[in-house]
Amino acid sequence: MINLTNFSSIFIANWKLNGNLEFIKQYYQKLLNNPQNCTIICSPSIFLNKLKTNDKNLYSGAQDISIYNEGAYTGELSAKMLANNQISFCLVGHSERRQYFNEKSDVIKLKSINLIENNIIPVICIGETLEEKEKNITKDILKYQIENSVPDISNFKNTIIAYEPIWAIGSGLTPTLEDIDEVHTFIKEINKKFNQYKVLYGGSVKASNSRDINMIKNVDGCLVGGASLKVEEFNSIIS
Ligand code: PEP
């Protein structure tokens, strides 16, 4: 398993359902290498074997995984298969999966267990809706999601948490820096076992705001959706 403590920050590109072979070729010709940070490109699964990686700081990640390891489950892709293809990371419980595919915390927990058992680091996504934020229950929601999605076998070496307010994803809106600071500190203090976890921020990160967000003490990097599709923009985020 990759040693997360080697990196000062972790940056994840979530390409979602985007990309093609020509896009990948152009992207990797221009992608910069920042040796202090860990950069993870999460492409659609069919392209994972086409992404360049090295053993220092550039990795590939999947965007989702099956709860099953093998068997009669047509259309699924298992953690065991990812491991067999040297994939080191996988997003789990992204809000689009929770929202459009009705994924619940118990399923996210099972997926995370499968990944960890196959030496793959799950990036467990959590976040509140706008309605929950307006009702002032963000912390209750995050606590519930953490307690029910993060398995007991998780620790700061084998699991990453990504805080992604749902209302900030793809909207151009972000919480204030003070709010991000407060939420990340809250996550790390839910239980002392979370103190050392890497907690990433995601939601409308772009070149113009990434520096300020990354300067926040308890932010250990960013999960970037839309802006990661433009390699020049992603380069300025990771550097
Ligand atoms: C995401 O998809 O995880 C994400 C954060 O998207 P965006 O950066 O486009 O808000």
Side-chain angles (χ1 to χ4, degrees):
M1 196 173 269
I2 309 296
N3 185 351
L4 294 175
T5 57
N6 283 342
F7 305 111
S8 55
S9 293
I10 297 172
F11 292 96
I12 304 182
N14 176 15
W15 288 359
K16 312 190 188 201
L17 191 55
N18 296 293
N20 56 53
L21 292 178
E22 185 53 29
F23 172 84
I24 291 169
K25 192 171 145 208
Q26 303 278 335
Y27 199 95
Y28 277 82
Q29 272 168 9
K30 294 185 192 151
L31 184 62
L32 295 178
N33 196 21
N34 183 340
Q36 284 161 4
N37 296 334
C38 172
T39 302
I40 305 160
I41 308 292
C42 294
S43 74
S45 306
I46 190 146
F47 298 131
L48 285 170
N49 272 334
K50 305 283 179 195
L51 306 182
K52 276 193 215 125
T53 53
N54 62 33
D55 56 3
K56 285 204 177 86
N57 67 337
L58 177 60
Y59 301 96
S60 309
Q63 298 175 9
D64 185 37
I65 197 63
S66 176
I67 56 169
Y68 303 108
N69 256 329
E70 60 193 0
Y73 304 104
T74 304
E76 292 288 85
L77 182 73
S78 73
K80 209 169 161 184
M81 291 167 184
L82 287 186
N84 201 222
N85 282 275
Q86 288 80 48
I87 305 301
S88 320
F89 296 88
C90 182
L91 304 179
V92 199
H94 189 280
S95 66
E96 287 152 15
R97 305 256 2 134
R98 293 185 192 251
Q99 197 178 345
Y100 305 133
F101 303 92
N102 204 22
E103 235 172 62
K104 299 275 185 278
S105 293
D106 54 340
V107 162
I108 293 159
K109 188 188 266 188
L110 275 177
K111 290 182 174 186
S112 302
I113 293 171
N114 271 355
L115 289 163
I116 294 167
E117 286 179 348
N118 283 283
N119 288 320
I120 298 167
I121 296 176
V123 180
I124 302 178
C125 304
I126 56 170
E128 81 285 4
T129 62
L130 186 57
E131 199 188 344
E132 289 160 346
K133 177 184 159 58
E134 284 168 349
K135 279 192 196 152
N136 246 323
I137 55 170
T138 297
K139 288 181 181 169
D140 299 330
I141 297 297
L142 298 180
K143 189 164 187 290
Y144 176 86
Q145 289 178 344
I146 288 191
E147 288 176 349
N148 291 280
S149 316
V150 179
D152 290 343
I153 59 166
S154 276
N155 59 49
F156 71 97
K157 292 183 180 162
N158 66 19
T159 300
I160 296 173
I161 293 175
Y163 168 55
E164 300 206 293
I166 296 170
W167 52 272
I169 295 180
S171 64
L173 303 171
T174 53
T176 62
L177 298 176
E178 292 71 28
D179 283 350
I180 297 175
D181 186 23
E182 188 180 333
V183 169
H184 279 238
T185 305
F186 169 76
I187 292 169
K188 295 202 182 199
E189 288 176 355
I190 282 180
N191 176 318
K192 71 174 185 317
K193 99 170 211 176
F194 295 117
N195 282 176
Q196 287 176 273
Y197 271 60
K198 300 274 189 201
V199 182
L200 314 186
Y201 169 77
S204 293
V205 173
K206 37 189 189 273
S208 57
N209 62 16
S210 63
R211 195 180 146 75
D212 288 342
I213 293 173
N214 271 296
M215 296 285 279
I216 299 172
K217 182 170 163 275
N218 284 323
V219 172
D220 302 298
C222 292
L223 174 45
V224 188
S228 74
L229 291 170
K230 296 172 217 131
V231 67
E232 289 84 1
E233 175 116 14
F234 191 58
N235 277 340
S236 36
I237 294 171
I238 63 178
S239 53

